[in-house]
Amino acid sequence: MNWLLNNLNYPNILLLMLLESTVVPVPSELVVAPAAYHAASGNLNVFLVVLFATIGAAIGASINYLVALYVGRPVIYKFANSKWGKMCLLNQEKVEKSEKYFDDHGVVATLTGRLIPGIRHLISLPAGLARMHYGKFLLYTTLGAGVWHSILAALGWYLHSVVPEDQLDATIEKYNHYIVLGIVGIVAIVIAYFVIKHYRKKKQS
């Protein structure tokens, strides 16, 4: 894993974001932002960084979705509570939290959930359990992942002009708190938009 993080190229970015969207604890902040940092110096293309990261996230989320669709809740809970689940920083409470978020916000949760730490890599499980239409799931997942990776890429690109490389990881962790606050605000706006849209549509009908 450390070798992959220290040798960020397009295939490695795709692989790491695929893993992050399953159950492997790979922080996207320490992949996409550093990759964009290197893109700013001309080693990579920042648009391709976002593209490959988003493709990887969509593939990983699809794996979770299909697993949930075909194996069901009991097996997922059993894995989450197992030794292997704990190695992936999983437990039943985290899975239940993602299910509650999905139940509270409906299919749009697959979009907004991709922006929320702790929910991001698990939101595809309740989508599979609920047998959400795969095309809609993939669309919302890809959009949410694309927005998240674009934000991280913008941060990494900006940091290239103000932070030396040996301070990059620490600075990203420092900025991450503000990123989370901003993302929560964005999610609140998106949810409010869909709620208002649904209410108006219901009122008209």
Side-chain angles (χ1 to χ4, degrees):
M1 187 69 70
N2 287 335
W3 184 89
L4 292 173
L5 287 170
N6 292 327
N7 294 272
L8 289 175
N9 52 39
Y10 303 126
N12 288 351
I13 292 167
L14 187 151
L15 176 60
L16 288 167
M17 291 302 90
L18 184 158
L19 294 174
E20 192 246 3
S21 287
T22 53
V23 294
V24 181
V26 180
S28 52
E29 298 90 335
L30 298 182
V31 177
V32 180
Y37 183 97
H38 293 301
S41 62
N43 295 326
L44 294 168
N45 182 297
V46 70
F47 297 105
L48 291 180
V49 167
V50 173
L51 176 63
F52 278 88
T54 302
I55 292 172
I59 295 172
S62 295
I63 292 171
N64 269 11
Y65 171 92
L66 292 171
V67 168
L69 181 67
Y70 289 109
V71 307
R73 186 175 285 104
V75 176
I76 290 174
Y77 283 179
K78 186 175 181 179
F79 174 78
N81 291 324
S82 70
K83 178 181 69 174
W84 295 104
K86 289 180 172 58
M87 287 176 63
C88 295
L89 305 181
L90 275 182
N91 55 50
Q92 184 172 327
E93 182 182 355
K94 289 183 178 180
V95 179
E96 289 176 341
K97 182 180 178 181
S98 69
E99 287 190 84
K100 183 178 186 306
Y101 184 86
F102 184 87
D103 291 340
D104 289 346
H105 300 98
V107 294
V108 72
T110 56
L111 190 160
T112 57
R114 294 294 312 183
L115 306 174
I116 301 177
I119 296 291
R120 182 167 58 248
H121 66 299
L122 296 177
I123 195 63
S124 48
L125 293 176
L129 292 173
R131 297 185 175 276
M132 178 182 176
H133 186 275
Y134 178 70
K136 187 177 289 187
F137 163 79
L138 184 61
L139 174 63
Y140 285 174
T141 294
T142 303
L143 288 174
V147 169
W148 173 242
H149 294 147
S150 295
I151 292 170
L152 293 178
L155 173 63
W157 187 276
Y158 164 73
L159 291 178
H160 181 266
S161 62
V162 296
V163 175
E165 188 171 356
D166 61 350
Q167 298 178 21
L168 180 60
D169 289 351
T171 305
I172 290 172
E173 291 180 9
K174 176 183 176 182
Y175 275 78
N176 192 48
H177 175 70
Y178 300 101
I179 293 173
V180 170
L181 291 177
I183 290 297
V184 169
I186 293 172
V187 170
I189 292 170
V190 171
I191 291 174
Y193 168 78
F194 279 99
V195 169
I196 293 171
K197 184 178 178 180
H198 175 75
Y199 175 77
R200 287 180 175 175
K201 187 176 180 179
K202 186 176 180 180
K203 189 175 181 181
Q204 289 173 356
S205 60

